[in-house]
Amino acid sequence: MKPDLRSLRREELQAQFAQWNEPAYRVDQLLRWLYPLRVTAWDQMTNLPKPLRARLAEHYSLHCLELARLQGAEASTQKFLWRLSDHALIESVLIPANPALYGEASDRNTLCVSTQVGCAYGCKFCASGLDGYQRNLEPYEIVEQVLAVERGRAGQRSEVRSQRSEVGSQRSEVGSQRSEVGSQRSEVGGQRAEVRGQKPEVGGQRSEAVDQASDIRHPVSDVRPPSSVLRLVDNLVIMGMGEPLANYDHLLKALTILNAPWGGAIGARKITISTSGLVPQIRRLADEPFQFSLAISLHGATDEVRSRLMPVNRKYPLSDLVLACEYYRATKGRLLTFEYILIAGVNDGLDQAKALAPLARRLNAKVNLIPYNRVEGLRWERPDNATQEAFLAALERQEVKATLRREKGHDIDAACGQLRLKTERELTAIIPP
Ligand code: SAH
Ligand code: SF4
């Protein structure tokens, strides 16, 4: 199989171009097509000579994620189910910032990306691990989740622009990119995407949101540099399907590309890696030259409770995990977050809040309390609101910084792995193995 161009760092492309006796500036021309402009086909790279494009196509692929399903409208949390070239399914979730209490809505967008197909860690509450582990994602499959979402939004915006101002003749590069994939239409609200084009990409998706012309923050215009038009994701959380630190090398490569000024240009501090607690990899990450934020999926404050929920705790118990976290904090000087799902009758008692507080204080970690999202086929439930609030209050009394997500995620299967699981089960119901 040919490697994908979006799995390569700038230095690797430079070495390849030098070997082909291509001038060095061609690498930057190529990178501009790949990242700020997010093109999807070789013949869109109009300032590269045709023989070079042919050579690139001969040695490298340029695979785009295929949108299999889209849930949610543009103004709210949107969940993307992607089909990979081997037909495996993965998910990304785009979360707009909560509207400010007063005034304008904030324009920060967070994208949650997957790093593996399935997960081998088998946490008892999680949909991602239910059908086991299939494979690691390639670096470009992680990078493409960001590009494909941004491409889709740019497609919608340029469409709104041409509707509003009727400047069909002044199409920007982005606008004309869109028109190539305009035959695809995906519907919001959990309907299966209806893909009619030869090359289905999210680029041409339409939704009811297209009609909301007031939502155009960056109307596409020919005078603006495209890079400032297309950037959408400013926070990245590696919290989708899979255990990111179990796919360490591909993750680091993808994040290097997404962080680089020539690539995704997302600041390292705006990238949060969530892990179930792989101790050696946390230490290794601490020694990397990046200031990534780290979130630990804790979900239990004693070994007894944590091991019941997360088999990984038997290999790396809390005492080891806390030492690795201390090392990360000391090396990076970065704040840590503890993710803590509240599950009724399992980890939501005040005894757990009491054990959690000293751990959080010792690491100066912020605790994110997340009411459990039901997973079909699992017996766990979320506690009632009073129990959730009591847990939060107990932490706050013990001087721990904590937040409780009072979320509406239920309606779009917001927790990781749920949409994929549902889709795979529906498909198996339709197509017998
Ligand atoms: N493997 C990594 C990252 C992916 S899981 C990790 O475990 O950290 C990321 C997060 O998804 C978990 O911390 C957990 O907070 C959340 N999650 C998984 N299943 C959930 C569910 N059913 N309800 C609420 N959150 C869930
Ligand atoms: Fe894997 Fe994370 Fe789900 Fe555990 S919570 S099964 S580590 S994806």
Side-chain angles (χ1 to χ4, degrees):
M1 264 238 310
K2 290 188 270 191
D4 194 281
L5 264 193
R6 276 85 39 91
S7 282
L8 297 188
R9 287 187 301 256
R10 188 163 178 255
E11 305 81 80
E12 291 168 291
L13 287 170
Q14 283 167 332
Q16 176 67 91
F17 275 38
Q19 200 196 351
W20 287 347
N21 290 323
E22 290 288 346
Y25 68 88
R26 294 275 183 225
V27 172
D28 293 319
Q29 287 179 322
L30 172 62
L31 289 171
R32 190 155 180 279
W33 289 115
L34 293 180
Y35 299 105
L37 294 172
R38 291 148 171 74
V39 300
T40 56
W42 304 108
D43 55 10
Q44 289 172 318
M45 304 180 181
T46 45
N47 62 357
L48 296 185
K50 278 196 170 154
L52 175 57
R53 280 186 251 162
R55 202 167 195 187
L56 283 168
E58 189 191 325
H59 290 87
Y60 298 99
S61 65
L62 196 60
H63 273 303
C64 292
L65 300 183
E66 180 189 331
L67 186 67
R69 203 162 174 172
L70 173 66
Q71 284 188 336
E74 194 180 307
S76 61
T77 299
Q78 277 189 309
K79 194 154 188 171
F80 301 80
L81 185 74
W82 305 111
R83 191 175 293 112
L84 306 178
S85 50
D86 62 355
H87 302 288
L89 295 170
I90 55 160
E91 300 175 11
S92 317
V93 183
L94 181 63
I95 308 143
N98 291 331
L101 277 179
Y102 304 104
E104 298 282 295
S106 158
D107 62 359
R108 275 179 299 124
N109 286 295
T110 301
L111 186 72
C112 172
V113 298
S114 297
T115 52
Q116 299 183 311
V117 183
C119 182
Y121 284 80
C123 301
K124 301 285 187 258
F125 50 81
C126 175
S128 290
L130 269 186
D131 285 350
Y133 164 80
Q134 285 180 30
R135 69 171 175 91
N136 279 331
L137 293 191
E138 293 296 316
Y140 84 90
E141 291 170 323
I142 300 171
V143 171
E144 242 293 287
Q145 293 174 60
V146 177
L147 303 185
V149 165
E150 294 190 327
R151 213 184 277 132
R153 216 35 99 76
Q156 289 172 353
R157 296 242 153 89
S158 65
E159 184 164 313
V160 177
R161 177 194 65 116
S162 55
Q163 277 172 4
R164 265 161 51 103
S165 53
E166 293 173 8
V167 285
S169 57
Q170 294 175 3
R171 279 192 171 268
S172 67
E173 283 159 307
V174 181
S176 54
Q177 222 177 292
R178 204 227 130 253
S179 64
E180 288 205 2
V181 291
S183 56
Q184 181 195 359
R185 178 183 279 263
S186 74
E187 291 164 17
V188 288
Q191 303 291 322
R192 185 173 300 258
E194 230 185 278
V195 182
R196 297 198 195 97
Q198 277 290 66
K199 205 162 170 273
E201 290 142 7
V202 65
Q205 66 179 250
R206 280 154 183 261
S207 73
E208 267 82 47
V210 167
D211 296 325
Q212 297 165 4
S214 58
D215 186 41
I216 318 173
R217 289 191 304 268
H218 302 300
V220 177
S221 91
D222 293 7
V223 286
R224 278 186 186 231
S227 56
S228 68
V229 173
L230 283 174
R231 306 284 187 204
L232 170 75
V233 173
D234 25 33
N235 287 303
L236 195 61
V237 293
I238 319 300
M239 240 180 232
M241 192 190 304
E243 170 47 55
L245 297 187
N247 186 11
Y248 192 95
D249 293 337
H250 290 180
L251 173 75
L252 257 277
K253 198 157 189 200
L255 294 186
T256 305
I257 293 167
L258 287 168
N259 169 241
W262 50 261
I266 303 173
R269 288 166 182 269
K270 303 283 177 93
I271 299 177
T272 302
I273 301 173
S274 173
T275 176
S276 58
L278 306 198
V279 163
Q281 286 92 328
I282 292 173
R283 291 179 174 277
R284 194 173 155 199
L285 192 65
D287 293 331
E288 302 280 356
F290 293 104
Q291 291 288 330
F292 298 134
S293 303
L294 188 64
I296 305 290
S297 292
L298 204 68
H299 311 325
T302 55
D303 281 324
E304 194 249 318
V305 170
R306 193 165 192 265
S307 294
R308 206 175 138 200
L309 290 170
M310 304 177 73
V312 69
N313 194 65
R314 295 196 200 108
K315 188 156 185 198
Y316 304 119
L318 281 168
S319 51
D320 293 355
L321 180 57
V322 166
L323 287 175
C325 291
E326 264 178 346
Y327 181 68
Y328 194 87
R329 218 182 85 75
T331 320
K332 295 281 173 226
R334 306 280 297 131
L335 277 185
L336 289 174
T337 309
F338 282 159
E339 303 286 320
Y340 195 99
I341 308 179
L342 289 167
I343 308 177
V346 177
N347 65 357
D348 61 344
L350 294 184
D351 57 320
Q352 286 295 301
K354 202 170 162 199
L356 179 54
L359 290 180
R361 279 202 309 266
R362 179 171 160 190
L363 291 163
N364 197 18
K366 194 185 123 208
V367 179
N368 250 346
L369 298 174
I370 308 156
Y372 181 63
N373 242 313
R374 273 195 107 235
V375 175
E376 219 184 295
L378 296 182
R379 60 202 156 96
W380 316 96
E381 299 281 349
R382 68 168 52 176
D384 58 28
N385 288 348
T387 310
Q388 296 174 24
E389 298 289 348
F391 199 95
L392 173 69
L395 290 179
E396 285 172 342
R397 269 198 310 277
Q398 295 176 83
E399 285 165 25
V400 172
K401 249 186 286 150
T403 52
L404 170 62
R405 198 192 292 167
R406 298 169 177 95
E407 36 124 22
K408 312 175 287 277
H410 267 336
D411 39 330
I412 66 154
D413 306 306
C416 76
Q418 293 189 46
L419 184 61
R420 164 186 171 256
L421 195 71
K422 190 157 112 186
T423 305
E424 287 200 329
R425 289 191 174 163
E426 283 168 11
L427 286 178
T428 343
I430 304 165
I431 316 159

